[in-house]
């Protein structure tokens, strides 16, 4: 970890050196002498240098996040082993398959009663597709005049770049993985930011016409416990008023309704959950 931090410190220092100097980032270099070789102007060269540094820093940051996830996974295994040695009968016990638990399906919670569209969430059927949990399916099903492509990053093939295009022009791109699903409705892109082997999820809405982020919402998802291996998958749908998120995690399944205008959670239903886990009131 210290080696990665040292590397990032070097990159940050390099970025500071590039940014420093008379005039800042947009400082111009002296013009080329008449008859002499043409020299690249300061702004375009400096922008490309900073873009390269930003890309390298993003890759290093992602590597550190994944290292942290690996450390947390090892910590969870150690805690489970300790629980077994101390005589905790539940520690380290594998979770039953979803749908096979008795008395743990569709729990209801008092804190959901204040949600605007909770009735709709309670009545909405659970719809799930393993195929629609794949980024390549989102690419194939994308409409609204948009296309998408997934390009692996040479330094880390596990973190591809997803790019949306319209009329042959790139309009937005972000980093993802094989399960980074997304939808576009009325020129707004909705996509979740989550780890496919870690708990939790944040959803973002981006206006592709205006070129700005509309909102970012952390979902309630499922209650969390210790784990050594984890699976996190998402399906997305959009209706006239909601972004509908179907979450399928190792500790349970959930359905959340988000208001497309504000991003507020207006409906929540925990489909099922591992025994002994209850969500805290948001």
């Amino acid at each position: 970890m210290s080696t990665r931090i040292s590397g990032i410190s070097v990159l940050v220092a390099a970025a500071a050196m590039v940014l420093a100097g008379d005039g800042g980032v947009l400082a111009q270099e002296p013009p080329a002498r008449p008859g002499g070789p043409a020299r690249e102007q300061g702004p375009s060269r400096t922008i490309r240098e900073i873009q390269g540094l930003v890309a390298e820093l993003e890759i290093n940051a992602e590597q550190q996040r994944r290292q942290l996830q690996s450390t947390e996974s090892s910590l969870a295994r150690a805690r489970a082993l300790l629980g077994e040695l101390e005589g905790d009968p539940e520690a380290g016990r594998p979770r039953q398959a979803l749908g096979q638990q008795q008395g743990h399906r569709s729990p209801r919670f008092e804190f959901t009663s204040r949600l605007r569209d909770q009735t709709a969430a309670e009545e909405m059927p659970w719809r799930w597709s393993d195929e629609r949990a794949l980024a390549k399916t989102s690419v194939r099903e994308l409409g609204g005049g948009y296309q998408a492509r997934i390009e692996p990053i040479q330094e880390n093939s596990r973190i591809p770049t997803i790019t949306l295009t319209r009329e042959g022009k790139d309009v937005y791109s972000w980093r993802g993985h094989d399960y980074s699903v997304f939808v576009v409705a009325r020129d707004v892109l909705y996509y979740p930011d989550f780890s496919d082997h870690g708990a939790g999820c944040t959803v973002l809405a981006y206006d592709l016409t205006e070129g700005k982020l509309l909102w970012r919402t952390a979902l309630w998802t499922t209650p969390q416990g210790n784990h050594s291996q984890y699976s996190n998958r998402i399906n997305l749908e959009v209706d006239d008023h909601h972004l509908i998120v179907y979450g399928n995690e190792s500790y349970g399944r959930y359905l959340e309704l988000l208001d497309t205008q504000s991003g507020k959670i207006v409906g929540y239903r925990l489909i099922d959950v591992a025994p002994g886990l209850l969500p805290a009131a948001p």
Side-chain angles (χ1 to χ4, degrees), residues 97-127:
L98 292 175
Q100 296 179 358
Q101 304 170 55
Q102 300 297 323
H104 293 278
R105 297 189 59 81
S106 299
R108 297 188 179 186
F109 308 102
E110 183 178 353
F111 67 82
T112 62
S113 61
R114 66 178 183 266
L115 297 178
R116 187 191 72 195
D117 298 334
Q118 182 60 24
T119 300
E122 294 288 347
E123 295 176 351
M124 189 170 293
W126 168 264
R127 291 189 289 266

Side-chain angles (χ1 to χ4, degrees), residues 9-29 41-54 56-57:
S9 299
V10 172
L11 290 172
V12 172
M17 292 176 64
V18 173
L19 291 169
D22 298 336
V25 174
L26 298 181
Q28 297 282 346
E29 291 188 354
Q41 294 300 310
S44 59
R45 186 184 69 178
T46 303
I47 289 172
R48 282 199 293 273
E49 289 174 349
I50 297 299
Q51 287 173 336
L53 287 170
V54 168
E56 191 167 352
L57 286 167

Side-chain angles (χ1 to χ4, degrees), residues 58-266:
E58 287 178 342
I59 292 171
N60 275 274
E62 181 62 29
Q63 289 174 343
Q64 289 195 55
R65 281 194 292 270
R66 295 198 179 279
Q67 178 63 39
L68 178 59
Q69 290 171 351
S70 176
T71 302
E72 290 176 340
S73 177
S74 298
L75 175 60
R77 288 197 298 270
R79 284 173 173 167
L81 178 59
L82 179 62
E84 290 179 353
L85 294 175
E86 291 177 341
D88 183 353
E90 295 295 327
R93 179 175 296 179
R95 177 175 174 249
Q96 293 175 298
L98 292 175
Q100 296 179 358
Q101 304 170 55
Q102 300 297 323
H104 293 278
R105 297 189 59 81
S106 299
R108 297 188 179 186
F109 308 102
E110 183 178 353
F111 67 82
T112 62
S113 61
R114 66 178 183 266
L115 297 178
R116 187 191 72 195
D117 298 334
Q118 182 60 24
T119 300
E122 294 288 347
E123 295 176 351
M124 189 170 293
W126 168 264
R127 291 189 289 266
W128 179 261
S129 166
D130 288 339
E131 182 70 16
R132 295 191 66 193
L134 299 172
K136 63 181 181 181
T137 302
S138 295
V139 171
R140 186 173 63 248
E141 296 182 350
L142 189 61
Y146 292 92
Q147 293 79 42
R149 65 178 185 271
I150 302 176
E151 299 173 312
I153 299 174
Q154 185 175 0
E155 295 84 351
N156 192 337
S157 59
R158 274 275 301 161
I159 314 171
T161 296
I162 305 171
T163 302
L164 295 189
T165 65
R166 187 170 187 176
E167 298 178 351
K169 297 180 180 180
D170 294 350
V171 293
Y172 187 72
S173 63
W174 69 100
R175 300 287 177 86
H177 46 72
D178 291 341
Y179 302 96
S180 293
V181 295
F182 55 94
V183 294
V184 173
R186 296 178 286 277
D187 294 310
V188 175
L189 165 69
Y190 303 96
Y191 67 98
D193 180 15
F194 69 106
S195 168
D196 60 328
H197 54 270
C201 179
T202 296
V203 176
L204 298 90
Y206 187 86
D207 189 320
L208 297 169
T209 302
E210 298 294 330
K212 65 180 182 180
L213 181 69
L214 298 178
W215 47 260
R216 178 195 302 263
T217 300
L219 301 183
W220 294 346
T221 67
T222 64
Q224 305 305 324
N226 295 333
H227 59 84
S228 57
Q229 293 183 339
Y230 207 82
S231 173
N232 191 351
R233 303 289 185 268
I234 299 289
N235 278 190
L236 294 178
E237 293 181 5
V238 181
D239 63 18
D240 291 339
H241 305 288
H242 307 114
L243 175 69
I244 308 167
V245 182
Y246 301 92
N248 197 340
E249 299 190 17
S250 291
Y251 279 126
R253 299 178 295 171
Y254 64 91
L255 181 154
E256 293 194 42
L257 302 183
L258 278 65
D259 182 270
T260 54
Q261 297 297 315
S262 65
K264 292 182 178 179
I265 297 171
V266 294

